[in-house]
């Protein structure tokens, strides 16, 4: 049996793999302990490394594997479930300096990027080539493509275009022993062997460290038009949204904010002018070529017939960007309003959205804890945000009890604990009810096939 190296010797070995500016140790690692989730556990890592190539990642993993050291892949740490949190004694592999856009291929409508490329940067590069990368999580200016793939992130445009995984074609992955593999194809079709690419998407760094991604792109859409509408009840808003999403004029955006979300966003951002005083606000857009304006006119008619109060139609990009920018402030605004928050991303069938919102209100009333809700009505993925004062133990306890009950409610309604944020640390305790013991055991066996020593992001996802 090979003798493992001491921690100091491991650090010395890392220093031979990476230059000093790519290696952080000691108290300096404190800046990389957690993602944006409140109240999740983190440990003090042995080191944080910042590789700039797949070869450097492989060298670090090989060293760690030979010495039984855990590895925590990490991107921009915009996650909300603790999936990127550091572990005591681990090596944190921060991929943000792997930020090259390798290629944008207009002929094949693909882009290949390193894992640390920001989502917004990929979208802009695609647009410059006359193409379109649709996945747009709320944190798209900060989040990385690698992180998006690790959680199978969604966004505002999912109602029409789907989630990150719908666009991933090919991955470069460093496995738990340091070997490098390529999964998938650059082609639109390819069914040779098992679909390991789909398995790795959403695996949260537990099966391999993804270093390079090839995604499919689309032709650029038409300029969007949109409409916003207020409602005096959430039931009216949901009924109108249901008519829009089942209409043959498919919206590209169908977002929801309740009244407390609107108030928090306006307080957080002085530039926000969302209409206050309503129980709910719908934001609806179309980017259909040659008919976006007509689509929005039809949406407006549906909204008006459904009891909407203030209806505002916008055809200019500046107004639409203002509305969407305000919507993207949902999580930080609500966190600021209370001091801390637990951020859900439950999904339910669209037919169960009213039952979900009614259940959230009951949970909030029973536990005396505020729950504000926004999210993606078009695909049934809502974000109940549970606010609490982190300095009051009773509120912390109530918030965690509410968090558990919200997930149980969603699963009971035929939904899921997570639609796009991932499981991380926060939601593991709730998976048995959703998946069942047999599927959970099968997933553990898959994990062991990829990572027999359980060194890749241990304690997360499963």
């Amino acid at each position: 049996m090979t003798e493992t190296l001491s921690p100091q010797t491991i650090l010395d070995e890392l220093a031979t793999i990476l230059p000093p500016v790519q290696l952080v140790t000691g108290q300096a690692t404190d800046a990389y302990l957690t993602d944006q989730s409140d109240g999740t556990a983190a440990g003090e890592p042995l080191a944080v490394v910042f590789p700039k190539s797949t070869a450097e990642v492989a060298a670090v993993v090989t060293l760690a594997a030979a010495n039984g050291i855990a590895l925590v892949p990490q991107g921009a740490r915009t996650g909300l479930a603790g999936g990127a949190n550091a572990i005591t004694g681990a090596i944190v592999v921060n991929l943000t300096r792997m930020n090259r856009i390798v290629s944008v291929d207009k002929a094949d409508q693909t882009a290949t990027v390193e894992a640390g490329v920001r989502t917004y940067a990929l979208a802009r590069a695609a647009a410059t080539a006359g193409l379109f990368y649709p996945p747009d999580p709320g944190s798209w200016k900060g989040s990385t493509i690698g992180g998006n793939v690790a959680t199978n992130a969604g966004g505002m445009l999912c109602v029409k275009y789907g989630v990150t995984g719908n666009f991933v074609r090919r991955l470069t992955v460093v496995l738990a022993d340091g070997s490098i593999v390529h999964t998938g194809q650059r082609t639109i079709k390819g069914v040779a062997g098992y679909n390991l690419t789909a398995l790795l998407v959403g695996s949260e760094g537990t099966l391999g460290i993804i270093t390079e991604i090839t995604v499919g792109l689309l032709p650029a859409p038409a300029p969007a038009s949109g409409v916003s509408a207020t409602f005096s009840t959430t039931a009216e808003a949901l009924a109108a949204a249901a008519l829009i999403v089942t209409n043959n004029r498919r919206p590209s955006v169908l977002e929801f904010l309740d009244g407390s979300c609107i108030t928090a966003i306006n307080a957080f951002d002085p530039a926000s002018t969302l209409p206050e005083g309503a129980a709910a606000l719908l934001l609806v857009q179309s980017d259909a070529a040659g008919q976006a304006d007509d689509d929005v006119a039809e949406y407006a008619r549906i909204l008006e017939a459904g009891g909407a109060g203030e209806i505002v139609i916008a055809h200019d990009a500046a107004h639409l960007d203002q509305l969407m920018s305000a919507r993207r402030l949902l999580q930080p605004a609500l966190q600021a309003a209370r001091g801390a928050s637990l951020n859900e991303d439950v999904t339910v069938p669209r037919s169960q959205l009213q039952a979900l919102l009614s259940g959230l209100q009951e949970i909030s009333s029973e536990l005396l804890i505020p729950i504000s809700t926004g999210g993606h009505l078009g695909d049934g993925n809502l974000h109940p945000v549970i606010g609490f004062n982190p300095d009051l133990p009773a509120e912390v306890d109530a918030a965690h009890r509410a968090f558990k009950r919200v997930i149980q409610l969603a699963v009971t309604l035929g939904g899921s604990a997570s639609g796009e944020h991932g499981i991380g640390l926060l939601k593991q305790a709730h998976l048995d009810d959703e998946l069942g013991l047999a599927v959970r055991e099968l997933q553990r066996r898959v994990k062991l096939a990829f990572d027999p020593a359980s060194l890749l992001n241990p304690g997360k996802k499963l």
Side-chain angles (χ1 to χ4, degrees):
M1 183 174 181
T2 304
E3 184 177 348
T4 58
L5 302 177
S6 69
Q8 183 56 55
T9 304
I10 294 293
L11 293 177
D12 293 340
E13 290 292 316
L14 286 173
T16 68
I17 297 171
L18 302 168
V21 294
Q22 292 173 238
L23 176 61
V24 171
T25 60
Q27 288 188 335
T29 63
D30 290 351
Y32 305 97
L33 294 184
T34 67
D35 61 13
Q36 293 186 13
S37 56
D38 282 316
T40 51
E44 182 178 344
L46 176 65
V48 181
V49 298
F50 296 86
K52 291 187 175 182
S53 69
T54 297
E56 287 183 345
V57 173
V60 170
V61 173
T62 299
L63 174 64
N67 291 277
I69 296 174
L71 294 144
V72 178
Q74 197 176 79
R77 296 179 298 111
T78 58
L80 295 168
N85 286 14
I87 296 170
T88 299
I91 297 173
V92 173
V93 183
N94 187 297
L95 299 164
T96 54
R97 297 188 194 176
M98 292 187 65
N99 55 10
R100 286 191 312 130
I101 296 176
V102 178
S103 66
V104 176
D105 188 323
K106 294 180 69 173
D108 287 332
Q109 295 184 343
T110 62
T112 298
V113 300
E114 292 181 329
V117 169
R118 308 288 168 149
T119 314
Y120 181 78
L122 171 57
R124 296 306 304 158
T128 299
L131 297 169
F132 179 41
Y133 180 68
D136 64 333
S139 58
W140 74 325
K141 287 191 175 180
S143 65
T144 64
I145 295 297
N148 292 175
V149 172
T151 61
N152 199 10
M156 318 300 174
L157 295 170
C158 290
V159 61
K160 181 174 182 179
Y161 294 104
V163 297
T164 298
N166 297 119
F167 292 86
V168 175
R169 299 271 185 88
R170 182 175 169 85
L171 298 173
T172 298
V173 185
V174 178
L175 298 179
D177 62 356
S179 58
I180 300 168
V181 298
H182 305 280
T183 72
Q185 299 84 17
R186 292 181 67 251
T187 54
I188 295 172
K189 294 180 177 179
V191 294
Y194 294 118
N195 191 345
L196 298 181
T197 301
L199 182 60
L200 286 157
V201 172
S203 63
E204 300 182 42
T206 62
L207 302 181
I209 299 179
I210 297 167
T211 60
E212 189 173 280
I213 303 103
T214 296
V215 297
L217 304 174
L218 298 175
S225 289
V227 57
S228 62
T230 61
F231 289 86
S232 58
T233 69
T234 57
E236 288 177 326
L238 292 180
L243 291 175
I244 288 173
V245 81
T246 56
N247 191 287
N248 60 5
R249 297 176 182 270
R250 188 72 169 180
S252 55
V253 169
L254 180 49
E255 294 292 304
F256 167 85
L257 294 170
D258 71 12
S260 59
C261 292
I262 295 168
T263 300
I265 290 169
N266 285 345
F268 184 77
D269 181 13
S272 175
T273 58
L274 296 177
E276 294 201 46
L281 175 70
L282 293 183
L283 306 174
V284 194
Q285 291 184 19
S286 171
D287 62 4
Q291 67 177 64
D293 290 358
D294 290 341
D295 286 350
V296 166
E298 176 63 17
Y299 302 156
R301 284 191 287 271
I302 293 171
L303 295 167
E304 183 178 17
E310 180 181 341
I311 298 175
V312 179
I313 292 176
H315 301 304
D316 59 296
H319 189 182
L320 294 175
D321 287 345
Q322 183 182 35
L323 288 173
M324 295 303 288
S325 294
R327 163 61 185 86
R328 292 180 191 279
L329 294 175
L330 172 66
Q331 185 271 329
L334 289 168
Q335 188 178 52
R338 294 289 294 175
S341 63
L342 293 175
N343 305 280
E344 305 264 18
D345 67 316
V346 293
T347 64
V348 296
R350 288 194 296 259
S351 61
Q352 298 299 315
L353 283 167
Q354 182 58 64
L356 175 62
L357 287 177
S358 297
L360 293 176
Q361 188 173 22
E362 291 177 9
I363 294 168
S364 177
S365 298
E366 289 177 21
L367 298 178
L368 301 177
I369 199 80
I371 302 178
S372 304
T373 304
H376 320 301
L377 276 193
D379 55 25
N381 180 198
L382 291 187
H383 297 301
V385 180
I386 304 163
F388 63 96
N389 185 335
D391 297 324
L392 298 178
E395 285 200 14
V396 174
D397 178 68
H400 282 275
R401 284 190 287 140
F403 187 87
K404 178 179 180 179
R405 285 185 56 182
V406 169
I407 292 176
Q408 289 173 336
L409 172 64
V411 173
T412 299
L413 294 172
S416 175
S418 180
E420 56 188 4
H421 293 170
I423 299 302
L425 291 169
L426 275 177
K427 302 168 191 172
Q428 293 179 48
H430 311 288
L431 290 182
D432 284 348
D433 290 341
E434 179 177 339
L435 300 178
L437 296 179
V439 170
R440 291 272 277 155
E441 177 57 28
L442 184 59
Q443 291 188 350
R444 291 188 182 96
R445 287 158 60 186
V446 170
K447 162 71 170 173
L448 290 175
F450 276 81
D451 181 18
S454 195
L455 296 179
L456 293 174
N457 218 9
K460 315 287 180 61
K461 187 72 173 180
L462 295 179

